[in-house]
Structure formats: C-alpha cells, structure tokens
Amino acid sequence: MNPIRRRSLLQVSAAALPLSVAGKWAFAQDRFPSKPITLIVPQPAGGDADVVCRSLQKKMQDVLGQPVVIDNRGGAGGNIGTALGAKAAPDGYTLTFVNQGTMALNPSLYPNAGYKVESLAPVTWLTSIDLVIVAHPSVPAGNLKEFLELARKEPGRHTYGTAGNGSANHLAGEMLKSMAKVDFTHVPYKGGGPAIIALLGGEISIAVAFPLAALPHVRSGKLKALAVTGKQRAKALPDVPTVAESGVSGYEFVSWMGLAVPRGTPDPIVQTLHAAAAAALKEKDVADRLSAGMTEPVGAGPKEFGDLISREGARWSKMIKQFGMKID
C-alpha cells in the first residue's frame, strides 16, 4: 500500500479514539508497522496452516509495507507456538495463527496448554474448512462405507493419522469412531504435513486431513478420498460422499482458522492487521487456491471472530467431556 494512503487510514482510526488514547496512538501512527511482522504458525512447514499463511503472506506485505516473516513452531498440538504468541509483546509485531484446535479444543484437552485463550485477542476469522478422509491406495476400500465395514471385520488392525493429539483432525476421528461404533487406532504426528507423508509411505491406513495438504495427492492418484466431513459434498470433490452419506447419520465436522495478537494490542493496530488479512483473502488467486482446497475464505473481523471462539469453546468443551478425551 502507498505509505501516504496507509498513514491517512491510521489517522482516521486515531481520530475515532478518546483524546487520551488518540494522543498516544498519534505519536505511534507513523511507526506502525516500521519493521517486519512475525507470523507464528504452530505447525511444521507443509501443513494446512502453513499453506494458508503463505498464501496470504505476499498481499499482507504489500498492504502493510513491511515483510511478514513466517515462523513455524510446531509441537504439542499447537500449544508451543500458541503459547509463544500469547506471551509476545502487545505491539502488533507478533501475529499468531490460531484454529479450532488451539482456541476451542486444547484448553479442555490439556491440564495445562501453556496459554489461556483470553491471553489472545482475535484479529481475523480467515477460513471455514471441511476435512477429508483419505486412504493409502493399498487399503481395499473405495469409500468410507467400505472402510468402516472393513474396520468392523478387523477391529484394532487399521490406523488413522492426524496432525497430533488434541488437533481438530483428532477430534473428528474420535467422533467418527464413536458414532460409527468402529475401532481403529489413532497415530498422532507433529502436524498435518508429516501425517500426509506417513500416509503416502503406507505407515497408516487413513488420515483425517485438512484438504489443502491432502488434495494435491488425491488429484495425482497417490491417495484416495473416502469421504468429506461437512454437511454437503465439496465442490472440489463432487463424487466423494459425506461421512453422513456413508452410513454415519448426523455426523458433521467443520473446522476454522484465524489470526490473533496478544491481548492488550491497541485496537487501531488490530484493525490495521485485520485490513491486511481481509485484503489478502479477497485476492482472486488466493481465494481460488483456498476454495480449490475445500477451504472457504471468510475474512470476518475481531468481533465476529471473537464470538465464534466463544461459541466453539463452549460447544467443544461439552463434546470433549462426552467423549472422555484428555491429554496428559
């Protein structure tokens, strides 16, 4: 963005604040951002979170006029990177990628996740995503219904991989096991990318995966899609049934992704960061890439994203207790 244009937008934001706050912000407006911004991604490179953030990176840099540096900090179901982001200085120079796992699941799954949801302030609700259940070609099942029948005949033999204990993929898999009344073993990996690599190598039978990482391999024939977890079939996979269509009535699992900053970051900075992310999501090449990966751009702001986090936290807390899930 033209620096003059960016400065004028920030001046408008400052004018809307109370005088005491506006005076402090006016002093800083010409300086934000005046250096690179770090975007912490609590997953290894190559996973769905990494793909989304790298898709947004260039346009956000153009809008902000400063580099956006992606820092992959995978591990502990996203807790390590999220805790790092929550403890950063509230100055707008550290963004954290957050999702259903880190903001709605982990606080109920882990005795101590290393951070509190309240320590992070929502910036942008980036995407809404259906997951896809994919299998290694050697698995003798052409769809999920056939795989479930196979698993019932061979209880405990088959395995499913996810992005890690407590991840959205993990909960989606446990929901499937419970609702379908089947027994297959969970194998956690340190991110969605490593889980897909393991599946390609035949280490596991299936993976409950985010589509951005999985679909390229489905299209190349290296993996096969058994089902999608949403309420309706995906446009990107029109011939692949939903889990509900596969005999698991009532099953639906939709995930989401977003950006957050440490609590206490000034609102004008939050709004500036949100504007950059929303602009990136509106770029045709970005929107097309995400939609082709069953990942729908949303772009809602801090209020809407905060409301989503609150609703989802309450909902999944009850679900986790229902399934008796806990991670030590």
Side-chain angles (χ1 to χ4, degrees):
M1 176 181 285
N2 184 299
I4 296 175
R5 171 63 176 161
R6 176 157 52 84
R7 188 177 298 119
S8 68
L9 287 174
L10 294 178
Q11 287 169 341
V12 170
S13 297
L17 295 172
L19 289 177
S20 60
V21 179
K24 295 177 182 179
W25 175 243
F27 176 76
Q29 65 181 331
D30 288 335
R31 296 187 292 129
F32 184 82
S34 61
K35 61 182 181 180
I37 293 169
T38 297
L39 172 51
I40 296 174
V41 180
Q43 286 189 10
D48 53 285
D50 189 60
V51 171
V52 169
C53 291
R54 292 185 191 279
S55 297
L56 303 176
Q57 186 180 26
K58 183 180 184 303
K59 182 62 177 179
M60 288 187 69
Q61 291 178 155
D62 291 344
V63 173
L64 294 168
Q66 289 289 339
V68 175
V69 181
I70 292 177
D71 183 6
N72 294 96
R73 296 293 186 103
N79 289 344
I80 293 173
T82 307
L84 186 65
K87 294 170 186 174
D91 56 10
Y93 288 103
T94 302
L95 270 168
T96 302
F97 173 93
V98 295
N99 59 17
Q100 190 177 38
T102 57
M103 299 299 275
L105 307 182
N106 290 3
S108 295
L109 285 169
Y110 288 84
N112 180 13
Y115 62 93
K116 293 185 180 298
V117 171
E118 296 78 15
S119 298
L120 288 158
V123 174
T124 304
W125 175 1
L126 294 174
T127 63
S128 178
I129 318 149
D130 293 348
L131 276 58
V132 59
I133 299 173
V134 287
H136 188 268
S138 64
V139 172
N143 53 51
L144 181 62
K145 185 175 182 179
E146 292 177 1
F147 178 77
L148 294 176
E149 291 172 355
L150 188 67
R152 291 187 182 103
K153 293 176 183 176
E154 304 170 324
R157 176 181 174 184
H158 295 281
T159 54
Y160 81 96
T162 72
N165 284 322
S167 63
N169 328 52
H170 182 198
L171 189 57
E174 292 304 301
M175 281 181 61
L176 176 62
K177 286 172 58 177
S178 176
M179 294 178 70
K181 296 180 173 56
V182 294
D183 179 22
F184 39 85
T185 304
H186 177 226
V187 181
Y189 291 89
K190 293 182 178 180
I196 292 297
I197 291 170
L199 184 60
L200 289 167
E203 294 179 19
I204 48 179
S205 307
I206 65 170
V208 181
F210 281 87
L212 282 170
L215 289 189
H217 303 293
V218 171
R219 293 178 178 128
S220 70
K222 294 179 181 178
L223 297 176
K224 52 187 176 183
L226 302 183
V228 295
T229 66
K231 189 174 184 179
Q232 299 176 334
R233 293 192 182 198
K235 293 178 182 178
L237 294 171
D239 297 327
V240 177
T242 65
V243 173
E245 287 179 305
S246 304
V248 189
S249 179
Y251 186 101
E252 180 185 358
F253 192 98
V254 180
S255 191
W256 44 266
M257 301 176 175
L259 296 175
V261 289
R263 185 71 62 180
T265 302
D267 185 63
I269 291 179
V270 173
Q271 294 298 334
T272 298
L273 294 170
H274 165 62
L281 287 169
K282 290 178 181 177
E283 287 287 291
K284 187 177 186 306
D285 61 336
V286 172
D288 288 349
R289 182 181 186 190
L290 295 180
S291 294
M294 293 167 48
T295 302
E296 294 303 316
V298 178
K303 173 65 167 61
E304 294 89 343
F305 190 31
D307 290 345
L308 174 74
I309 291 170
S310 296
R311 290 195 308 270
E312 287 280 278
R315 176 191 179 201
W316 289 112
S317 175
K318 293 178 182 178
M319 293 288 284
I320 287 165
K321 288 179 182 177
Q322 177 183 330
F323 288 118
M325 295 175 68
K326 212 71 180 174
I327 298 174
D328 298 325

